[in-house]
Amino acid sequence: MMIKGKGISKGIGFGNVVVIKNQEIKIQETTVENTEDELERFKKALQEITTETAEIVNNSSGTEKEIMTAYLMIMQDPSLITETEDLIKNSKYSAEYATEVGLNSVIQIFENMNDEYMAGRARDIVDIKNRLIAKLLKEERVDLSNLKPNTIIVAKELTTSDTAKLNFKNVSGIITEIGGTNSHTSIMARTHSLPAITKVENATEILKNNDYIAIDGESGEIYINPTEEEKNKLLEIQKTISEEKNELEKYKNMESKTKDGYKVELVSNIGTPKDVELVIENTSEGIGLLRSEFLYMDSESMPTEEEQFNAYKEVAEKMEGKPVIIRTLDVGGDKEIKYLNMEKEANPFLGYRAIRLCLDNVDFFKTQLRALLRASAFGNIAIMFPMISSIEELKKAKEIVEECKKELDEKNIAYKKDIKTGIMIEIPSAAIIADKLAKECDFFSIGTNDLIQYTVAVERGNEKISKLYTKYHPAVIKLVKSAIDGAHKAGIFCGMCGEAASDKLLIPLLIGLGLDEFSMNSNKILQSRKTISKLNKKECEELASQILEMASATEVEEKLKEFIEKNV
Amino acid sequence: MKTEKIILKNETGLHARPASEIAKIASKYQCTINLIVNDKTINAKSILNIMAAGIKSSTEIEIQCDGTDEEAALAELLQAFNNNFGE
């Protein structure tokens, strides 16, 4: 049988289904007669999750081990369960209900503490509570970090914290009921070169645990118990994909330069420290964009300076001196964070987001900046501000960085004294006054996704007008040129971290315009290095001057296609 | 009973990691071990008790050990506090 969805990440996967259901468990107030049996049941459940956690502790190392050890000790702490046991013994509550009530009272103590870090520990206890109740109800909790090899995950939707736990080595595909091309799941799937299909109606009902299926992440086809013929067809596609991949292997560890020796930097966009593996595997030359949102989105409360410092430090150390550009918090717009209590706005993309929000909330902005500065002592970190639209914002942000440096100096805490600060060029006003902004910072990175949407006034997610959203619009290209020229006039470098940076058609134009750094998903690095190696800088410059004369996006796209066909 | 007063130097206070260090050490000993902070008594063998107390940096803490192995327990705890829990 074959069902179909929308392919969002290329590749073929064969494997067994694991369905993830994230239903909220509601516990009813129930009482029991035999309190001793009930107490026994509770203790057994606790014993089971303790054993499971102890195993994780044994198999982990470093910071993770420390965190898991503390978590295990909370689990083993007698005062965690005093109240729960009392409720079973004296109020004759069922084990499930007693756990719910008893642990909630502990959770409250932590939630009410006037300390963001401690309040954050409440979520550890919530997690323990949920695991206990699941055990008591004998519900199988899917352990995402411990899947069997060749698992195909089927879910309504994967949350950020789900994917953070995933052990990708054992996953051979992902199927979800909801989510688009730019959803978190699809970006993550493409980053890890995992086939993924979305918009599969009722997938979590149709597909059952342990079903053997085969999927094609490009066509969106899902074969349940595939026939020999179907299998062979997919294996054929898989072969082509792996041949293409092998061809790209040659470009590992090569310099990124054109035929005539013009060198550029090819670096990665990443979303979490876990992604560093792929950065290294694809011999990317650094990190052009580390989105710091993961720290905030995965968390129930504001991440502390310590938590942030550890995450940034981990990335900086793993990159061994290669550049790591970390973007300060970029929320608002389409990215919401519960505990910031952001108001709903009529035009979130034109609203209170990113640097605008940070400059108004200096305390939490400083928490992040101090963490970044401290981590800079362990590697080549640079700080990047998003959504800069004016020189005032840039100056204000830099002032706050200077204040943080002073605070660290007073405490004799080390940081990289000559740490670079730069900005995203993603608002047309910034691109237009790029020459002025360039005098106040150390680098630019052009964020094309937002720059396009603000230039052509088309919201990225709105399908009715998506045809108007194009990276080949001559106005967008003019703004890119303005940013690059502005940077070079002031003697600073200009990169690009939007999707356009890895667009095969645009690469020759960007080389021609003089872009210094291309930042993209790690899995695009080798392909882009190959493209660049076939180009000639002089010819790209000629191409650029022709393109700059053009009036329509269609014309631009056709010209770029023609150029690529001729040269690459 | 053996007691000793110290000032917490650890900059971020007794968060999960140092709290787990203390509870881990305390649990090795037979004797009763309490931390007295602002007149509150905290069971040093309970990581939850320690964390729930939300002890901030520069707070005065009295360590009380009472039982057969009180001397050794106090010595090891003092050492952990003085080393800032390795931070």
Side-chain angles (χ1 to χ4, degrees):
Chain A
M1 193 175 98
M2 196 267 278
I3 54 174
K4 217 175 157 188
K6 185 174 185 241
I8 46 172
S9 175
K10 199 168 120 175
I12 302 296
F14 296 92
N16 296 309
V17 169
V18 169
V19 181
I20 300 171
K21 290 191 178 169
N22 290 326
Q23 286 148 334
E24 276 271 316
I25 308 166
K26 280 265 184 301
I27 301 298
Q28 303 288 332
E29 177 173 352
T30 36
T31 51
V32 292
E33 280 310 308
N34 191 337
T35 56
E36 248 164 60
D37 278 4
E38 208 58 14
L39 208 54
E40 210 38 57
R41 226 159 63 79
F42 173 74
K43 284 185 176 155
K44 193 167 161 259
L46 182 62
Q47 185 54 51
E48 280 172 17
I49 66 163
T50 310
T51 315
E52 285 168 15
T53 312
E55 244 170 65
I56 300 178
V57 171
N58 285 337
N59 293 330
S60 56
S61 59
T63 321
E64 194 193 348
K65 192 176 186 116
E66 279 176 12
I67 293 167
M68 292 309 292
T69 308
Y71 178 77
L72 179 63
M73 290 186 73
I74 294 174
M75 209 177 272
Q76 291 170 321
D77 195 316
S79 50
L80 177 72
I81 53 164
T82 346
E83 187 162 349
T84 307
E85 288 184 326
D86 270 359
L87 288 168
I88 299 175
K89 271 189 256 175
N90 302 327
S91 310
K92 300 198 168 187
Y93 281 178
S94 70
E96 291 87 348
Y97 189 57
T99 306
E100 174 77 20
V101 178
L103 262 59
N104 276 350
S105 70
V106 184
I107 292 163
Q108 273 233 295
I109 299 174
F110 281 87
E111 274 178 348
N112 291 340
M113 282 170 73
N114 206 4
D115 177 320
E116 42 165 307
Y117 179 83
M118 290 301 181
R121 301 282 59 74
R123 65 177 181 255
D124 288 344
I125 308 172
V126 172
D127 197 42
I128 294 176
K129 184 187 84 178
N130 289 340
R131 286 179 61 187
L132 274 173
I133 291 175
K135 272 276 183 278
L136 288 166
L137 294 173
K138 294 230 175 355
E139 274 211 16
E140 268 308 307
R141 239 181 83 109
V142 179
D143 181 0
L144 291 172
S145 59
N146 195 13
L147 295 163
K148 288 192 193 127
N150 301 319
T151 294
I152 296 185
I153 291 175
V154 179
K156 200 165 222 75
E157 190 177 24
L158 283 179
T159 64
T160 320
S161 60
D162 285 337
T163 48
K165 279 183 238 149
L166 264 188
N167 178 358
F168 290 100
K169 289 213 169 69
N170 291 341
V171 179
S172 45
I174 295 172
I175 297 170
T176 59
E177 293 180 4
I178 30 187
T181 320
N182 284 316
S183 71
H184 174 75
T185 307
S186 66
I187 292 173
M188 186 272 315
R190 285 197 295 269
T191 308
H192 291 267
S193 307
L194 270 183
I197 300 172
T198 184
K199 299 209 165 113
V200 186
E201 271 178 56
N202 296 322
T204 55
E205 299 298 324
I206 301 168
L207 297 166
K208 307 256 182 291
N209 278 331
N210 293 319
D211 276 354
Y212 181 73
I213 62 171
I215 65 172
D216 180 342
E218 194 163 29
S219 68
E221 290 165 348
I222 301 164
Y223 299 89
I224 307 168
N225 292 319
T227 61
E228 280 306 308
E229 201 182 319
E230 286 162 346
K231 267 198 223 169
N232 287 335
K233 187 182 105 183
L234 294 179
L235 284 170
E236 203 50 45
I237 302 175
Q238 195 172 34
K239 207 177 131 203
T240 321
I241 296 174
S242 73
E243 275 168 8
E244 282 168 15
K245 219 181 141 197
N246 285 340
E247 153 74 14
L248 290 180
E249 287 288 305
K250 287 191 283 188
Y251 292 89
K252 280 194 172 172
N253 292 315
M254 265 176 51
E255 279 189 318
S256 307
K257 59 179 182 190
T258 60
K259 268 194 303 203
D260 50 341
Y262 174 72
K263 253 195 272 180
V264 293
E265 231 177 272
L266 279 187
V267 292
S268 294
N269 296 340
I270 69 170
T272 77
K274 263 176 117 177
D275 300 339
V276 174
E277 258 173 63
L278 285 165
V279 174
I280 294 168
E281 196 185 309
N282 287 290
T283 68
S284 172
E285 291 147 49
I287 289 166
L289 169 66
L290 166 57
R291 306 181 185 92
S292 60
E293 290 77 63
F294 74 96
L295 286 162
Y296 297 81
M297 311 283 262
D298 286 353
S299 179
E300 298 287 320
S301 57
M302 191 65 79
T304 62
E305 183 179 322
E306 219 46 42
E307 281 173 304
Q308 299 196 42
F309 164 69
N310 285 324
Y312 305 145
K313 174 173 168 245
E314 182 188 341
V315 176
E317 285 182 333
K318 281 189 183 153
M319 290 307 295
E320 296 176 336
K322 295 198 182 96
V324 176
I325 299 178
I326 303 179
R327 181 177 71 189
T328 61
L329 183 61
D330 183 11
V331 286
D334 53 346
K335 286 169 278 183
E336 210 192 322
I337 288 181
K338 273 180 282 173
Y339 49 82
L340 287 181
N341 297 321
M342 293 186 288
E343 280 170 37
K344 282 256 175 292
E345 297 182 317
N347 284 307
F349 282 106
L350 302 180
Y352 195 48
R353 55 179 295 197
I355 197 74
R356 301 168 177 183
L357 200 134
C358 288
L359 292 178
D360 264 3
N361 295 277
V362 176
D363 277 350
F364 86 64
F365 191 33
K366 274 190 167 178
T367 305
Q368 178 168 39
L369 291 174
R370 275 194 308 265
L372 284 168
L373 286 167
R374 285 171 54 200
S376 72
F378 299 88
N380 189 3
I381 286 179
I383 301 174
M384 176 158 73
F385 306 119
M387 284 290 286
I388 294 284
S389 69
S390 67
I391 199 106
E392 288 83 0
E393 289 163 312
L394 171 57
K395 282 184 176 164
K396 183 81 210 293
K398 278 175 60 191
E399 246 168 56
I400 300 174
V401 173
E402 287 309 312
E403 283 170 30
C404 291
K405 283 185 181 174
K406 242 182 239 153
E407 287 171 27
L408 294 180
D409 283 336
E410 277 162 19
K411 291 183 184 166
N412 265 326
I413 298 174
Y415 62 91
K416 194 165 178 270
K417 299 276 172 194
D418 59 346
I419 187 165
K420 288 192 170 122
T421 49
I423 61 173
M424 295 274 298
I425 300 282
E426 53 190 336
I427 300 180
S429 64
I432 294 167
I433 58 162
D435 54 337
K436 312 286 189 301
L437 291 167
K439 290 179 190 155
E440 296 293 330
C441 62
D442 304 312
F443 63 91
F444 286 164
S445 186
I446 306 171
T448 47
N449 298 357
D450 274 338
L451 184 63
I452 297 167
Q453 95 166 343
Y454 292 132
T455 307
V456 296
V458 172
E459 187 198 319
R460 262 193 277 164
N462 191 334
E463 288 183 11
K464 280 187 212 143
I465 49 175
S466 60
K467 272 195 199 131
L468 294 173
Y469 182 96
T470 165
K471 39 195 169 189
Y472 307 116
H473 196 295
V476 175
I477 294 166
K478 281 215 162 132
L479 290 177
V480 169
K481 178 174 164 46
S482 166
I484 298 172
D485 291 349
H488 289 172
K489 218 171 99 187
I492 66 171
F493 83 88
C494 184
M496 179 179 280
C497 59
E499 265 163 55
S502 61
D503 179 10
K504 197 172 168 185
L505 292 186
L506 277 175
I507 289 175
L509 172 65
L510 296 171
I511 295 263
L513 292 173
L515 192 74
D516 304 296
E517 176 232 56
F518 296 68
S519 193
M520 59 193 71
N521 267 341
S522 297
N523 58 0
K524 295 270 180 67
I525 292 279
L526 297 175
Q527 178 64 51
S528 303
R529 194 174 280 154
K530 180 180 167 190
T531 304
I532 290 168
S533 73
K534 311 240 182 242
L535 299 173
N536 176 295
K537 172 85 158 84
K538 272 263 141 30
E539 285 167 21
C540 291
E541 280 168 6
E542 274 159 37
L543 171 76
S545 59
Q546 285 169 25
I547 296 271
L548 285 168
E549 294 303 314
M550 290 181 177
S552 91
T554 331
E555 217 182 325
V556 170
E557 191 173 354
E558 267 162 26
K559 178 81 197 164
L560 291 175
K561 268 189 192 147
E562 186 195 304
F563 185 86
I564 279 288
E565 271 159 29
K566 209 175 87 194
N567 291 282
V568 180
Chain B
M1 186 168 73
K2 290 264 172 204
T3 67
E4 183 102 30
K5 282 185 183 166
I6 49 109
I7 303 279
L8 183 66
K9 286 181 292 185
N10 194 42
E11 208 172 296
T12 44
L14 287 187
H15 58 87
R17 211 190 58 80
S20 78
E21 278 291 302
I22 296 172
K24 222 189 293 175
I25 296 171
S27 303
K28 289 196 299 189
Y29 295 93
Q30 295 283 317
C31 61
T32 310
I33 306 176
N34 287 323
L35 306 178
I36 316 290
V37 179
N38 299 329
D39 296 330
K40 268 190 296 184
T41 305
I42 300 151
N43 177 2
K45 293 181 183 179
S46 162
I47 180 172
L48 277 173
N49 257 307
I50 303 170
M51 286 184 3
I55 306 167
K56 300 250 183 277
S57 187
S58 310
T59 308
E60 188 184 71
I61 302 174
E62 185 180 333
I63 310 172
Q64 293 184 343
C65 302
D66 191 7
T68 45
D69 46 8
E70 56 189 34
E71 209 149 320
L74 185 64
E76 190 173 353
L77 281 170
L78 280 174
Q79 197 189 5
F81 271 101
N82 287 332
N83 284 339
N84 255 342
F85 310 98
E87 279 185 0

